[in-house]
Amino acid sequence: MFHLPWGAWCVRDSELALTVLRDPVFHGGMSPFFGAMLPSRTAQVALGRAVRKLLRAHLPAYRRRVAEAAAALDVVGQWPAAGPLLVYRCSADVLLRPDAPPVLRRQLQRAVGAGLTARQPSVRQRLRAEIVRPGLLAALAEHVHRRRAEVPGAGEPQDLLDAVLGSCPGESTDRTVLDLWVLLFTSIVGNVGYAVAWSLLLAGLYHPPGPPWPWPVDWLVREAARHRPFVWMVGRHVPHPLEFGGLPFAAGTVLSVSPYLLHHDAQRWDRPRTFRPERWSEPGGQGPYLPFSTGPFTCGGASVAHDLACETVAALSLDARLSISGADARPLVAGSVLPRPFALRRARKTPVCAPKKGGE
């Protein structure tokens, strides 16, 4: 264990960290991800399942849209900002129905471009996000109020707001519904978008430009999430006096586990500081892997988030030569583990021309 500057404790030892994460007593009660916005753990689980099912059903449409969007991208793009923006554009219709006001959809796109989906590392970047936040929240609040007044439709949720409305009790305020939607929106767009950015950055740093990547996209995305997990620290308040690792913890103490540390444990991983996507083909070659936490509070959308990231990386690399410039693998830690800015050049592969007939 070691003490964190803000007063919490973090578990350093991997075995003890996994014990903490899987302990049913420590993880009793509500998920800290949703806080007190839903009335019960049952409601929290139901919302997580509804969102996962919704995104899973949308995956074929996302695959088509991300292929179209990748083909239309500029030759040189500025990343990591381009990651969340691309994910938003390709999932906009499942986040809010296509009949949402066009002005609101433009405000959302502007907010994503300004960095709303993650705490930004510089004051200037955070200021950009905060400038657009008040107007966006006001427009979203109006939209939530109008949607709540509609007669509920039959069948499955059509968008993320439907899923939230279906999980909130009738006495929930408009603000609670809004806060839940924003939490899920930023988690989906930000987590997937930055996972894509890390995958592209690390692939570009560890593989020369020109030849195709020697790894399947699934290995690449998994290794990027191991090497640079977007969520670098997860924690919760100790519900009542407990002891871990021989140390007593009073109720209310924040006890944390760092996926980043667990993913770089040299006792559990082979060459953990090296980016090696091929490790995912090696039987027994993996250590504790929890980019989406583990135990009772594993992210309900972990598998579909991984699939969305894979679809995006696959679309960007299809029939294209990728190269990066201005790249640096050192992370920026600002609430999340963000890539430093880099430029991605995406050049279409030159088709091989068939020989002409008649010796021409």
Side-chain angles (χ1 to χ4, degrees), residues 332-348:
L332 291 169
V333 180
S336 302
V337 174
L338 304 180
R340 295 172 186 266
F342 65 97
L344 175 73
R345 181 178 181 83
R346 185 175 182 273
R348 302 290 293 180

Side-chain angles (χ1 to χ4, degrees), residues 70-71 73-77 79 86 196-215 217 220 309-325 327 342-350:
L73 287 177
D74 293 337
V75 172
V76 179
W79 290 73
L86 177 61
V196 172
W198 272 121
S199 299
L200 296 171
L201 172 60
L202 293 169
L205 285 172
Y206 286 88
H207 187 260
W213 295 330
W215 324 288
V217 170
L220 171 59
C310 287
E311 293 290 352
T312 310
V313 173
L316 289 167
S317 58
L318 181 65
D319 294 328
R321 298 184 184 276
L322 303 181
S323 59
I324 58 174
S325 58
F342 65 97
L344 175 73
R345 181 178 181 83
R346 185 175 182 273
R348 302 290 293 180
K349 291 180 180 177
T350 304

Side-chain angles (χ1 to χ4, degrees), residues 97-357:
R97 291 184 329 216
D99 62 359
V103 172
L104 175 56
R105 294 166 74 90
R106 287 195 295 271
Q107 284 178 292
L108 279 168
Q109 181 166 317
R110 182 185 173 204
V112 172
L116 186 70
T117 56
R119 178 176 170 80
Q120 298 300 313
S122 76
V123 173
R124 182 177 181 180
Q125 289 171 311
R126 291 198 293 272
L127 182 60
R128 286 183 61 211
E130 291 306 315
I131 286 174
V132 302
R133 187 187 296 271
L136 173 64
L137 292 181
L140 282 169
E142 181 180 344
H143 186 67
V144 165
H145 184 75
R146 184 165 60 250
R147 287 280 294 272
R148 295 190 81 186
E150 294 179 359
V151 177
E156 299 292 335
Q158 298 302 302
D159 66 359
L160 184 62
L161 185 52
D162 275 347
V164 172
L165 290 172
S167 301
C168 287
E171 62 270 19
S172 298
T173 65
D174 285 358
R175 184 57 193 238
T176 296
V177 174
L178 170 60
D179 288 345
L180 276 169
W181 185 88
V182 170
L183 173 67
L184 291 164
F185 174 90
T186 54
S187 298
I188 294 165
V189 175
N191 284 26
V192 176
Y194 288 113
V196 172
W198 272 121
S199 299
L200 296 171
L201 172 60
L202 293 169
L205 285 172
Y206 286 88
H207 187 260
W213 295 330
W215 324 288
V217 170
D218 176 74
W219 297 1
L220 171 59
V221 173
R222 286 185 188 279
E223 179 66 356
R226 182 204 67 83
H227 197 60
R228 293 291 185 263
F230 179 68
V231 178
W232 74 286
M233 186 78 71
V234 294
R236 64 184 276 107
H237 292 88
V238 175
H240 52 75
L242 288 172
E243 181 178 303
F244 286 109
L247 292 177
F249 293 94
T253 305
V254 176
L255 187 57
S256 302
V257 169
S258 171
Y260 189 92
L261 290 179
L262 267 67
H263 290 179
H264 289 80
D265 182 353
Q267 303 301 315
R268 307 292 292 272
W269 292 89
D270 175 42
R271 289 171 284 166
R273 295 182 179 276
T274 304
F275 179 74
R276 293 180 55 243
E278 59 271 18
R279 75 172 72 245
W280 295 98
S281 67
E282 300 166 357
Q286 299 88 41
Y289 180 68
L290 52 151
F292 299 98
S293 191
T294 191
F297 294 128
T298 301
C299 173
S303 61
V304 73
H306 173 78
D307 289 346
L308 289 169
C310 287
E311 293 290 352
T312 310
V313 173
L316 289 167
S317 58
L318 181 65
D319 294 328
R321 298 184 184 276
L322 303 181
S323 59
I324 58 174
S325 58
D328 188 334
R330 292 175 301 163
L332 291 169
V333 180
S336 302
V337 174
L338 304 180
R340 295 172 186 266
F342 65 97
L344 175 73
R345 181 178 181 83
R346 185 175 182 273
R348 302 290 293 180
K349 291 180 180 177
T350 304
V352 178
C353 297
K356 295 182 179 181
K357 294 181 179 180

